[in-house]
């Protein structure tokens, strides 16, 4: 929500996509949180990822998408 006029967010994509192990190594996600999220993805649970601009929502979603089983 932009209360005082337009809000613009410019994304600069990285060449290296982070996986969940990278996020654990950076201490962005704890090992127990990562295990919970991997289990939720494996069990096809619904997840709601929220946060402000540049908080890592897309990075986390891309990392979780890498955990989707091929079948």
């Amino acid at each position: 929500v932009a209360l005082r006029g337009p809000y613009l967010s410019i994304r600069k994509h990285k060449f290296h996509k982070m996986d969940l192990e990278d996020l654990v190594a950076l201490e962005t996600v704890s090992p127990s949180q990562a295990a919970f999220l991997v289990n939720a993805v494996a069990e096809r649970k619904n997840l709601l990822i929220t946060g402000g601009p540049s908080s890592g929502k897309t990075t986390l979603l891309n990392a979780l998408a890498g955990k989707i089983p091929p079948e």
Side-chain angles (χ1 to χ4, degrees), residues 4-61:
R4 297 183 186 148
Y7 184 84
L8 176 67
S9 179
I10 298 175
R11 293 181 180 202
K12 181 179 176 185
H13 294 281
K14 298 179 180 177
F15 291 105
H16 169 73
K17 292 203 180 220
M18 295 188 149
D19 58 20
L20 207 50
E21 291 75 18
D22 292 330
L23 297 178
V24 170
L26 291 170
E27 297 183 353
T28 302
V29 177
S30 73
S32 62
Q33 290 169 330
F36 173 83
L37 291 170
V38 168
N39 189 44
V41 168
E43 293 184 9
R44 300 175 53 119
K45 300 293 184 183
N46 293 324
L47 297 171
L48 176 65
I49 308 298
T50 66
S54 299
S55 61
K57 299 176 299 290
T58 303
T59 301
L60 178 59
L61 286 170

